[in-house]
Amino acid sequence: MNKVIAILIAGTIGSMLKILGGILYGSNTLFVDALTSIVNIIALLVVIWSRRVTIIPPDSDHHFGHERFEYIGILVMIVTYGFVAGISITRLYYVREYSVELNAFYLAVAAILAYSIAIFLSRSAPPSIRAYGAFTISEVLEGIVGIIASLGGALYSYLIDYGGAVLLTSYIFYEIYEEGRNLASFMADEAPPPSIYEKVVGIAESEGFSIKSIRLRTIVPGKYHGDIVLSPGSTRYENLKNLKKKLGENGVDVCIEVSSP
Ligand SMILES: [Zn+2]
């Protein structure tokens, strides 16, 4: 857990440096970038929270387990992105000619160093934190845009800095789209990939059953739920128990029914 705290501190320092660069030294690119790094910190908190919640076994109010709490994290991300997108648009809409100080550029360089530390630490962290590290790589790419734009803004024209800010704002909308697609596939109860069907049918046939119909939905990738109707025939109770057990081992939790002849 100490490592997670170190990552959180490095990420927070990175964000603070960008906010200072944006507010004190006039770079709008850094300002927008700072907003996205606030999202980044919230993402890390969400990861830490969902890691604790999703492993809770099924209980009286969540019969299928708590894995789907992961998607509440996505919702939080979308809302946060939407909020910072609004702030960015408002700021960029009312902009007049401005000047960027060279200090903004130095802060941008310092911020990218802080993020590099966070990413480096997250590489040897547990898988869910590693996912955060991968997510933070976009923060470094944005940081590079910040460095180029603030330097160009300080040395040549504020329009270079303004262009960088518009670019990063567009990226926020792209992130909203991506996270939204993620959430939509869950809300629409998407079917699992065909390979899962093939596996279920294969297991059933190896136990001597033939499947009449099958319905599956994804709880989270790797965990599926649904129902199976078997053709009448060899439906010995022992075989059924075996089928259920084998499917369960493959992450498929189904209700099995035998159709009447
Ligand atoms: Zn519960």
Side-chain angles (χ1 to χ4, degrees), residues 12 15 18 23 42 94-95 109 112 122 125 132 140 147 211 260:
T12 309
S15 309
K18 285 178 187 177
I23 290 175
I42 288 173
Y94 292 106
V95 112
V109 173
I112 216 168
S122 62
Y132 161 80
V140 170
I147 287 175
I211 290 181
S260 48

Side-chain angles (χ1 to χ4, degrees), residues 45-194:
L45 294 176
V46 163
V47 164
I48 294 169
W49 167 80
S50 77
R51 224 160 50 119
R52 292 164 68 161
V53 177
T54 53
I55 55 166
I56 300 173
D59 55 19
S60 61
D61 56 349
H62 300 97
H63 301 176
F64 293 95
H66 296 79
E67 279 95 344
R68 278 198 169 192
F69 274 82
E70 193 182 316
Y71 297 108
I72 295 170
I74 302 179
L75 188 63
V76 171
M77 295 293 294
I78 292 175
V79 171
T80 317
Y81 269 125
F83 180 67
V84 302
I87 297 177
S88 301
I89 297 268
T90 311
R91 170 127 177 168
L92 297 179
Y93 185 78
Y94 292 106
V95 112
R96 297 187 192 288
E97 188 171 345
Y98 61 92
S99 65
V100 181
E101 288 178 49
L102 204 53
N103 282 342
F105 162 72
Y106 297 134
L107 285 177
V109 173
I112 216 168
L113 286 175
Y115 278 114
S116 306
I117 292 170
I119 291 171
F120 178 77
L121 289 175
S122 62
R123 284 176 69 172
S124 57
S128 53
I129 305 292
R130 247 177 286 159
Y132 161 80
F135 176 78
T136 305
I137 288 174
S138 72
E139 208 57 56
V140 170
L141 295 178
E142 288 166 21
I144 293 170
V145 173
I147 287 175
I148 296 169
S150 59
L151 186 63
L155 298 183
Y156 301 105
S157 160
Y158 78 101
L159 285 172
I160 296 174
D161 183 72
Y162 189 75
V166 170
L167 184 67
L168 292 188
T169 305
S170 324
Y171 186 70
I172 296 176
F173 281 99
Y174 168 75
E175 290 282 359
I176 292 174
Y177 168 74
E178 280 294 313
E179 299 280 356
R181 253 181 26 160
N182 228 337
L183 192 61
S185 84
F186 143 73
M187 291 176 82
D189 253 348
E190 209 163 77

Side-chain angles (χ1 to χ4, degrees), residues 196-205 211 214 216 228 247 252:
I196 301 294
Y197 279 98
E198 283 156 23
K199 203 180 236 172
V200 170
V201 173
I203 292 172
E205 283 173 354
I211 290 181
I214 175 171
L216 293 175
I228 292 179
L247 291 176
V252 179

